[in-house]
Amino acid sequence: MTTSLAAALTQALDASFPRVAFTMAYGSGVFQQKDHDASASMVDLVFAVDDPLAWHAQNLERNPQHYSVLKYLGAANVAAFQEKFGAGVYYNTLVPLTGKLLGTRLIKYGVVSTQTLCEDLLTWKTLYLSGRMHKPVSILDTSDAIQAASSTNLSHALNYALLCLPEKFSEHDLYMKIAGISYLGDFRMTFGENPKKVRNIVDGNLKSFRELYQHTIQNSPFMSRSLSNGDLLLANSNDLKPSPTRLADSTTKLSPRSSCGALSLRSCSGQVARRASKVSPLLGA
């Protein structure tokens, strides 16, 4: 996302919505995909709020036209619907957002509690928001707790990808594997979705992927760069040689709820795919 678009969105959002703890812009409306015009796409947003009931009550007063017929049941029912169904995210879509710098753009915004967001980032409970945040996103506002959880989420994604890759691989291979995590088990990748979507995401945002994972790669005990070829990455290099126990311990942290890391690679991949497939039919891409 360009600096000017980020500033324009921030100004328009601050003027239009109640205060939030976290704002994320993502998707093809703000990040370039190969052979796609981002300026023609709807802007996808996620707001994390500390108190969904209070936030929806305020937003219903300010923006009742954003909601479906569910608004007639009141803020309590909107918040309950958000918390109890799907991945804990309530979306309003096809909303015109107007600002002095932005002009008018269509947006889709999801509302999630900060607790639900942090839980998904740390444990991959649904892999819905954590999977989106494996890829480059634009953080317009955040908190220390969410920022720390996001850093852990990136480490989990890197460790998972290392389990799936050969000993030697390129940065592009790594980002392809990471970007594909949230699409595992998604039937739309077989029917209806562009089968090259993951490649288009990586190819169109390779620089952003490098910026996102640079720190995580540099600090990973399980990989290093080849001394002879800077574009080549090495897993379990001679300099590092992590023990199998240490590797298992690290990947076990990927999801305390599922002990995914303690399973075989095939079982681990299956768990991730099943989580993604349960959520994706309920929510938009």
Side-chain angles (χ1 to χ4, degrees), residues 3-99:
T3 303
S4 59
L5 178 56
L9 276 172
T10 299
Q11 182 188 63
L13 292 171
D14 287 346
S16 303
F17 290 96
R19 183 171 178 78
V20 301
F22 168 88
T23 303
M24 171 180 78
Y26 65 94
S28 59
V30 292
F31 283 94
Q32 185 63 45
Q33 292 186 17
K34 189 176 180 181
D35 302 324
H36 179 81
D37 181 9
S39 64
S41 296
M42 182 165 55
V43 176
D44 296 325
L45 299 160
V46 167
F47 304 147
V49 301
D50 294 332
D51 185 341
L53 174 56
W55 192 90
H56 281 296
Q58 295 177 48
N59 198 44
L60 278 166
E61 289 185 4
R62 296 177 65 170
N63 302 300
Q65 71 279 10
H66 293 181
Y67 290 80
S68 68
V69 293
L70 193 61
K71 66 185 175 185
Y72 296 111
L73 299 179
N77 284 294
V78 174
F81 185 85
Q82 171 189 315
E83 293 287 297
K84 294 180 180 179
F85 294 95
V89 188
Y90 179 88
Y91 273 97
N92 287 323
T93 189
L94 297 175
V95 174
L97 178 67
T98 301

Side-chain angles (χ1 to χ4, degrees), residues 193-234:
E193 188 62 85
N194 183 350
K196 295 182 179 179
K197 182 170 185 175
V198 173
R199 180 172 294 278
N200 288 343
I201 291 172
V202 174
D203 289 350
N205 297 279
L206 190 57
K207 180 180 178 181
S208 296
F209 270 98
R210 285 173 173 157
E211 293 172 350
L212 180 62
Y213 283 94
Q214 179 181 10
H215 179 77
T216 308
I217 290 173
Q218 288 177 346
N219 289 279
S220 172
F222 306 126
M223 62 182 297
S224 64
R225 289 192 181 276
S226 168
L227 297 178
S228 59
N229 183 351
D231 293 329
L232 190 65
L233 299 173
L234 308 175

